[in-house]
Amino acid sequence: MSAHLKTYNFMGLRKLATIFSVILLLVSIGSMAVRGLNFGLDFTGGSLVEVGYEQEADLNNIRLQLQNAGFDGAVVQTFGASTDILIRLGSDHDPKLGDKVLAALQEGETQSIELRRNEFVGAQVGEELREQGGLGLLLALFMIMVYVSFRFQLKFAVGAVVALAHDVLIVVGFFALFQIEFDLTVLAAVLAVIGYSLNDTIVVADRIRENFRKLRNETSMEIMNISLNQTLSRTLMTSLTTLLVLVALAFFGGEMIHGFAIALLVGVFVGTYSSIYVAANALIMMGLCKEDLIPPPKDDQEAIDELP
């Protein structure tokens, strides 16, 4: 079977991959500890104002108008069409804020501007969202570990969770390192990365289990390499087609989902890498062998009890 398959020695580079992963994790954790995440208004609290223009709006000009009017640090984004503008302000609750922003934008503007929304998110709500988001991530990892333990074996569960934690930390660390705004859409993307990476890891784990039971003369390292090569084309094709969509979203999807697309882009890259190296490498480190996957022989009494 393996004679007809061109195999790449993935496991031969596992030590280098381990060093690479450790460096990425240290940079990610260091960025989160030193720089912290640049939380959006969803988490920190603040005001959100939506306005509509008759013609295409100039975002840089809007930012300048708001800055001149005293609204420093305003985040200005298109909201769907280029005439729909979303403005985020880290200010205290002010029922008249929407009217003040509208007046500042209308000054010197020839076209008519419509105020469509004026909302406020309290800091307490943002804190609750942070806590619930973190608990959601931990719960997802725990449930995945339980599922993989039942579906495969405990060592596979540990390997899968290690790979997923690796992916999540690197994606979040990327946002901390480059200070990209971290809002609810990015949190949703991180959860999506968990699902994507898990799917890849499960496919690889299923092939590893099958080959451990089928191939009798190969070593654990050889079986890992054979399994990774057998699933390589599927992994790469899935990743490439997903990346094409995400690149389109990142460049043409507008600012509202830019963070979402960036998080998924980083997550797909890292998830593809971790399904090949991190999960399989963890199994090697834990000493996965044929005895872990072959059911124990039944004793005579069990065999008699199962007779019809």
Side-chain angles (χ1 to χ4, degrees):
M1 180 180 175
S2 58
H4 301 290
L5 180 72
K6 183 180 179 181
T7 58
Y8 299 97
N9 187 18
F10 290 111
M11 289 294 97
L13 298 173
R14 65 190 186 91
K15 291 182 180 178
L16 286 176
T18 302
I19 295 171
F20 179 63
S21 291
V22 168
I23 292 172
L24 286 179
L25 289 172
L26 288 176
V27 171
S28 298
I29 295 170
S31 299
M32 287 186 280
V34 176
R35 308 195 70 180
L37 286 170
N38 178 23
F39 286 111
L41 293 185
D42 297 331
F43 295 112
T44 61
S47 299
L48 185 148
V49 178
E50 182 186 348
V51 295
Y53 282 70
E54 291 179 332
Q55 301 169 3
E56 183 176 348
D58 185 344
L59 296 183
N60 290 326
N61 185 50
I62 292 173
R63 293 187 184 104
L64 184 60
Q65 286 178 294
L66 292 172
Q67 186 175 353
N68 292 336
F71 298 108
D72 295 325
V75 178
V76 182
Q77 301 171 315
T78 54
F79 186 64
S82 59
T83 55
D84 301 330
I85 304 298
L86 200 64
I87 301 166
R88 299 169 183 262
L89 297 160
S91 58
D92 296 329
H93 182 42
D94 182 359
K96 298 291 185 181
L97 181 65
D99 295 326
K100 294 177 182 177
V101 169
L102 183 63
L105 295 178
Q106 194 67 71
E107 187 176 349
E109 186 66 61
T110 56
Q111 60 177 310
S112 174
I113 306 173
E114 176 191 0
L115 176 64
R116 295 179 178 171
R117 185 162 38 139
N118 179 23
E119 296 178 356
F120 176 77
V121 178
Q124 184 176 358
V125 174
E127 187 177 344
E128 289 176 0
L129 286 172
R130 277 203 306 272
E131 291 175 359
Q132 291 173 2
L135 289 173
L137 283 173
L138 291 175
L139 181 61
L141 291 175
F142 173 74
M143 294 306 296
I144 286 167
M145 190 166 184
V146 172
Y147 163 73
V148 178
S149 295
F150 279 107
R151 170 86 185 269
F152 294 95
Q153 199 254 2
L154 182 60
K155 289 180 181 178
F156 281 96
V158 173
V161 170
V162 166
L164 294 178
H166 168 276
D167 299 345
V168 169
L169 284 172
I170 290 175
V171 172
V172 176
F174 179 88
F175 274 74
L177 180 64
F178 294 100
Q179 288 295 288
I180 305 171
E181 185 177 293
F182 192 97
D183 55 20
L184 281 177
T185 63
V186 177
L187 179 60
V190 172
L191 291 170
V193 166
I194 289 178
Y196 178 90
S197 183
L198 177 66
N199 181 55
D200 251 3
T201 304
I202 290 294
V203 170
V204 174
D206 195 48
R207 187 55 60 92
I208 290 172
R209 179 178 62 176
E210 178 185 336
N211 285 334
F212 261 101
R213 292 174 174 175
K214 186 187 299 182
L215 305 176
R216 299 296 180 182
N217 299 321
E218 285 79 356
T219 64
S220 296
M221 200 81 74
E222 290 171 340
I223 292 175
M224 291 290 182
N225 270 328
I226 292 170
S227 303
L228 289 170
N229 278 276
Q230 288 174 340
T231 56
L232 181 63
S233 60
R234 181 260 176 207
T235 298
L236 292 181
M237 286 302 295
T238 303
S239 298
L240 286 174
T241 51
T242 306
L243 286 171
L244 288 174
V245 176
L246 293 175
V247 168
L249 282 176
F251 283 98
F252 307 112
E255 292 190 50
M256 280 297 295
I257 60 170
H258 185 70
F260 176 84
I262 292 297
L264 279 176
L265 273 171
V266 176
V268 169
F269 271 115
V270 177
T272 302
Y273 160 79
S274 70
S275 65
I276 293 174
Y277 278 109
V278 179
N281 201 1
L283 292 175
I284 292 291
M285 289 180 177
M286 288 184 288
L288 183 72
C289 58
K290 292 182 174 66
E291 287 72 22
D292 291 323
L293 298 170
I294 296 175
K298 298 175 183 176
D299 57 33
D300 295 339
Q301 185 60 45
E302 285 181 335
I304 292 172
D305 291 341
E306 290 186 4
L307 288 176

